[in-house]
Amino acid sequence: MSMARLGYRVALIDADIGLRNLDLLLGLENRVMYTAMEVLEGECRMEQALIRDKRWRTLALLPISKNRARYNVTKNNMQTLIKVLKEMEFQYIIIDCPAGIDVGFINAIACADSAVIVTTPEITAIRDADRVAGLLEANGVYDVKLLVNRVRADMIKKNDMMSVKDVQEMLGVPLLGAIPEDTEVIVSTNRGEPLVLKKKLTLAGIAYENAARRISGKSDFLIDLDKPKKGLFQRVGEFFAGDE
Ligand SMILES: Nc1ncnc2c1ncn2[C@@H]1O[C@H](COP(=O)(O)OP(=O)(O)OP(=O)(O)O)[C@@H](O)[C@H]1O
Ligand SMILES: [Mg+2]
């Protein structure tokens, strides 16, 4: 959503086939009529399967399948879908991959030019992220960046949580951004209202918008979640709120 807000035409592919949930997160679940499966089987056109977000028209969601785990999307399937989306002039095609390192993940990344690894600052998640980094490299995806989610400055201060820098150094992947733990994320996911559409952005909302700016190549400052400076966050928040 933040990428679309920057003016890019963005297609989101929910490649988490068994456990699709992007439609819910975006509040678009009632609009799923056709999916990528019908496109691949020639039963509908891509345009019919794409759900255009009415709140931000440059964003479109492609659900993969309505029927959980009934289908397996092959590498060829993925290639076909992405080729069609590119021809429709989407500037960013974002693929939400399934967790894990099995064939579903490998097929999902088959056409990727770059990747964002999302991890939390926990040792188990970091080990998983490290495996994912290895798999990406082994599959020819070399442009990889790291997004550390659910960061808590208060815990870092008390030495109860690894700092963003620690996580980044352990993984050796360049940092795209850090997102603080924020109860508003849970509220917004439950409501299907993207966090970054709120009039007054919370810190997590600002952090997502900044990460999107950096993906698009704009050099932007990194919010330092290890040493929060209240004044700066407030100023940035007001800046974005006034930007609507
Ligand atoms: N920054 C955050 N602050 C608070 N809660 C969060 C934050 N990020 C995510 N969550 C909560 O964690 C839940 C799971 O997050 P998310 O769906 O992004 O995880 P995931 O890694 O994609 O999971 P899966 O592997 O099942 O796809 C979200 O529904 C949300 O409620
Ligand atoms: Mg997910």
Side-chain angles (χ1 to χ4, degrees), residues 47 52 54 77 168:
E47 194 53 57
R52 304 261 176 191
K54 290 192 176 129
N77 290 159
Q168 192 269 323

Side-chain angles (χ1 to χ4, degrees), residues 87-106:
E87 282 164 6
M88 291 172 83
E89 294 181 349
F90 281 103
Q91 291 160 296
Y92 284 94
I93 300 169
I94 302 176
I95 306 162
D96 185 21
C97 295
I101 51 173
D102 59 10
V103 67
F105 175 78
I106 301 290

Side-chain angles (χ1 to χ4, degrees), residues 189-207:
T189 50
N190 284 339
R191 290 200 182 134
E193 290 166 6
L195 192 71
V196 293
L197 290 183
K198 284 175 89 78
K199 275 239 155 62
K200 185 110 187 137
L201 286 185
T202 59
L203 190 53
I206 297 168

Side-chain angles (χ1 to χ4, degrees), residues 119-161:
T119 186
T120 57
E122 287 160 68
I123 199 76
T124 47
I126 294 168
R127 185 161 67 187
D128 292 351
D130 191 44
R131 290 204 188 119
V132 167
L135 269 182
L136 285 166
E137 197 180 345
N139 285 276
V141 184
Y142 302 115
D143 179 12
V144 179
K145 297 211 170 62
L146 180 69
L147 193 62
V148 185
N149 192 13
R150 309 194 79 155
V151 176
R152 284 185 53 178
D154 55 332
M155 289 182 70
I156 295 172
K157 255 193 212 132
K158 284 194 257 162
N159 245 337
D160 289 334
M161 183 179 272

